[in-house]
Amino acid sequence: MAIAVQRAETFYQPPPRHPTAWDQVAPAERVFRWAEHRQQRRLVPPAGFIIGQLAYARINHGRWVADCPCGSAQVVTPADPRMACTECGLGWIRLVFPEDPAEAEASVAHELPHERNWWHPDDPSWTRPAESSDPALDGMAAETAAAAGLLATARRPSLAPVVEEASQ
C-alpha cells in the first residue's frame, strides 16, 4: 500500500485532546492554528490577498509545499490553493497547482517517501537537468553516475595518523 502525499488538511492536525477543534478551519488557515499551538505564539491570518503574487506548489519528500518569497515554506493543499506566511506575515498569495493534483501524486507514488518530488513544469525556480539530444552522452552520464557510486563506496585510507601527527 502506497503512502499518500500529505496535504495541509492531514499535516496540520489539532492537539490530541481536541481532535475535532479544527473541523471548521479552512485547510490553508490550519497552519496558523498549528503554529499557535506548537510555537506558543499568537498568529492572526491576514485579511487580504497580495495582488500579482503567486507561488508554485510542488511535492517535496511526499508533501505538497510552497515557498514564500521570504524563504519560508509550508505544507499546502490543492483543496484550498492559497498560502500566507506565518514567518514574515505576507498576506494570502495564490498557489498554482497542476490541473490534476492526483495525477502528480500518482506519478511519485512508486518512489520512497524521501524521493517523492514533483515540480510544476512552469515553475521558474525548478532547475531542470539539461536534456541532451545525443543518446551517447546520456549513456556517459549513467556510466559517470555508476563510477561515482563505486568511488563513494571504495575504501579510503584513514587520515587519523596524519591528523595525530599534525596535532603534536
Side-chain angles (χ1 to χ4, degrees):
M1 182 171 157
I3 299 170
V5 173
Q6 281 205 312
R7 297 177 174 197
E9 57 267 31
T10 58
F11 185 83
Y12 298 116
Q13 292 292 308
R17 286 182 261 155
H18 307 286
T20 60
W22 295 358
D23 288 347
Q24 302 302 313
V25 179
E29 296 176 18
R30 289 183 183 190
V31 65
F32 287 91
R33 300 286 295 277
W34 186 85
E36 283 183 342
H37 174 71
R38 297 286 178 143
Q39 299 172 354
Q40 297 296 303
R41 60 185 187 129
R42 180 78 173 122
L43 294 170
V44 177
F49 275 82
I50 306 297
I51 297 173
Q53 184 73 42
L54 64 89
Y56 287 88
R58 69 181 186 281
I59 298 174
N60 177 261
H61 298 275
R63 307 164 299 200
W64 279 106
V65 298
D67 297 319
C68 176
C70 78
S72 182
Q74 63 184 249
V75 178
V76 295
T77 179
D80 190 355
R82 62 190 173 126
M83 74 173 277
C85 189
T86 60
E87 295 298 319
C88 73
L90 180 69
W92 293 109
I93 59 175
R94 187 173 63 88
L95 297 177
V96 179
F97 281 88
E99 288 183 29
D100 187 0
E103 183 180 317
E105 292 173 358
S107 73
V108 298
H110 66 282
E111 301 288 343
L112 294 172
H114 70 283
E115 294 177 349
R116 289 185 189 162
N117 299 303
W118 177 91
W119 288 265
H120 195 286
D122 297 334
D123 187 350
S125 66
W126 177 33
T127 54
R128 297 160 182 86
E131 293 183 18
S132 170
S133 60
D134 185 356
L137 291 177
D138 292 338
M140 289 177 60
E143 290 172 8
T144 302
L150 287 174
L151 288 174
T153 60
R155 288 191 60 123
R156 296 187 179 106
S158 172
L159 293 177
V162 175
V163 171
E164 185 177 313
E165 182 178 316
S167 64
Q168 292 178 357

